[in-house]
Amino acid sequence: MKAAVITRYGSPDVIKILDAPKPTPAADEVLIRVHAATVNRTDCGELRARPFFMRFFHGLRRPKRTIFGLDFAGEVEAVGAGTLSFKPGDRVFGMCPSRSNGAQAEYVSVPERTVAAMPAGARFDEAVVCEGAFYANAVLKKIDLKAGHKILIYGASGAIGTAMVQLAKSSGAAVTAVVSTRHLELVKSLGADRAVDYTTEDFTRLGETFDFVVDAVGKTSFFRCRKLLKPGGIFAATDLGSWGQNLVLAMWSSITGSNRVVIPAPGRINGFIGFLKSRMEAGQFRAIIDRKYALAAIVDAYRYVETGQKVGIVVINVAATDESANVAQTSQGG
Ligand SMILES: NC(=O)c1ccc[n+]([C@@H]2O[C@H](COP(=O)([O-])OP(=O)(O)OC[C@H]3O[C@@H](n4cnc5c(N)ncnc54)[C@H](OP(=O)(O)O)[C@@H]3O)[C@@H](O)[C@H]2O)c1
């Protein structure tokens, strides 16, 4: 099979499109012919082994796995002997565990528990949304967001941010989204009650306070945001922050029991894909697709994602015959 193969850490130039062995599904696995995959910030961090300590998880000298890519959507090609839920030909989507080979390839084999049937009516490129939603959901679960809470989401235009606005809204929370001018209409269309332009307005002086402030893009800090928090309010980060300050603050918050700063760790994938499918079918969650690239052009996709300017997701159309295949097309409506 064709695959984007990565055998050493470095810039996107180390990625090569090569022939790789087609995986064989283990007893509890499903072999999927991939139609759509993504390139996201997690892939870019793994490619460059940043932050450095991630080498202890991904491989000290070189990546332990050679094919990246967390999201997939496609058709079941074969199933393992102990697999009960799927059969060849089923249209499915889901998320690859980060320790085994990923979906930037023509085929991927994944545990049955990380796969769900495609949301009714969705195209393959509209279903490769799990990674951002998974991290967004981890944050919302950690802070226990409920109906009536007020949440401010800083950096609401990325993969995590666009997912978080939608999931927070579907929980019944009042959502304030902070983005640049070009994304104001987008976040309103996703359900934000208030959209704030960080390029023209000081978002820390909104004249109101929040139960939760989330930095969804790693570009602000607890010290900048603390006056936005109600007494007992929580600052949550998806990133370690400059000089790892969020990590230090989260550890201190945990030691003192204040829980003022948290960096939610994503849990297990089990059950999450089915949860997202139900949200999509209820019309409460949709993909925000920025650009689409063919697998052969994946190096360009990595370069673009590394700019930190993408909106929602960047799709890799792996199956050349896919009806939604369009190279470097922008389609924010999904
Ligand atoms: N916790 C985890 O395990 C985990 C996993 C994956 C990613 N992450 C981290 O989470 C963060 C977000 O990931 P992502 O995939 O959602 O990012 P992303 O999609 O790359 O975010 C890009 C968006 O951020 C906006 N942005 C750029 N600079 C900004 C600024 N100064 N203020 C506000 N918005 C800004 C950009 O629009 P504009 O430039 O127009 O504002 C763009 O729409 C990253 O820092 C990533 O490292 C954490």
Side-chain angles (χ1 to χ4, degrees):
M1 66 169 186
K2 292 277 179 242
V5 176
I6 298 171
T7 54
R8 61 191 172 95
Y9 295 123
S11 75
D13 296 324
V14 306
I15 305 167
K16 305 289 176 217
I17 303 296
L18 297 174
D19 287 318
K22 185 173 164 182
T24 305
D28 66 338
E29 286 187 341
V30 180
L31 177 68
I32 290 149
R33 188 165 85 83
V34 179
H35 281 248
T38 56
V39 173
N40 55 48
R41 294 285 294 272
T42 306
D43 299 317
C44 293
E46 191 173 348
L47 177 68
R48 294 204 184 246
R50 287 186 188 151
F52 186 85
F53 74 83
M54 291 308 286
R55 286 178 184 247
F56 294 106
F57 301 99
H58 296 315
L60 270 181
R61 296 186 56 219
R62 61 181 68 86
K64 284 184 199 158
R65 61 180 191 155
T66 53
I67 302 171
F68 293 6
L70 292 172
D71 289 291
F72 64 81
E75 283 172 76
V76 173
E77 175 90 357
V79 296
T83 307
L84 300 172
S85 312
F86 301 100
K87 60 180 185 322
D90 286 352
R91 288 161 57 92
V92 295
F93 78 118
M95 209 170 144
C96 308
S98 56
R99 290 190 177 221
S100 47
N101 272 342
Q104 292 166 3
E106 288 179 320
Y107 293 90
V108 65
S109 190
V110 288
E112 182 180 27
R113 63 185 163 78
T114 71
V115 184
M118 281 282 287
R123 297 192 315 255
F124 289 125
D125 62 334
E126 294 171 322
V128 281
V129 285
C130 296
E131 189 256 3
F134 183 60
Y135 291 120
N137 190 52
V139 172
L140 300 183
K141 272 176 78 176
K142 174 76 181 177
I143 62 180
D144 198 18
L145 187 78
K146 296 238 172 10
H149 279 142
K150 284 176 68 184
I151 182 169
L152 180 143
I153 302 169
Y154 183 86
S157 54
I160 297 177
T162 52
M164 198 179 294
V165 170
Q166 298 182 79
L167 294 176
K169 200 59 211 165
S170 66
S171 302
V175 178
T176 295
V178 183
V179 290
S180 66
T181 318
R182 66 187 180 119
H183 305 311
L184 289 171
E185 289 311 314
L186 169 69
V187 290
K188 281 189 213 155
S189 78
L190 295 177
D193 299 278
R194 184 175 180 184
V196 178
D197 184 346
Y198 74 82
T199 68
T200 59
E201 204 175 339
D202 181 353
F203 76 95
T204 66
R205 294 173 188 274
L206 295 179
E208 58 177 322
T209 52
F210 299 85
D211 299 289
F212 308 107
V213 173
V214 182
D215 179 2
V217 76
K219 298 283 184 180
T220 187
S221 69
F222 167 69
F223 295 108
R224 199 156 172 229
C225 296
R226 64 183 162 182
K227 54 181 176 276
L228 287 166
L229 290 170
K230 289 180 182 178
I234 295 174
F235 176 84
T238 55
D239 201 89
L240 300 182
S242 312
W243 307 101
Q245 61 171 274
N246 290 334
L247 189 60
V248 175
L249 290 166
M251 287 167 68
W252 182 248
S253 296
S254 173
I255 290 165
T256 60
S258 75
N259 282 326
R260 194 85 167 139
V261 178
V262 295
I263 309 178
R268 295 174 69 84
I269 302 169
N270 305 14
F272 173 72
I273 312 299
F275 161 79
L276 192 60
K277 171 181 154 78
S278 66
R279 285 284 192 273
M280 292 172 84
E281 289 182 337
Q284 295 174 334
F285 193 98
R286 66 182 168 94
I288 305 304
I289 301 172
D290 186 336
R291 296 185 182 186
K292 302 177 192 179
Y293 295 83
L295 181 64
I298 198 168
V299 172
D300 294 331
Y302 268 84
R303 286 200 187 104
Y304 178 59
V305 175
E306 279 195 332
T307 65
Q309 300 297 305
K310 79 173 161 67
V311 189
I313 57 170
V314 165
V315 173
I316 304 300
N317 278 313
V318 179
T321 54
D322 194 351
E323 77 280 2
S324 57
N326 273 312
V327 176
Q329 171 193 313
T330 298
S331 62
Q332 287 185 20

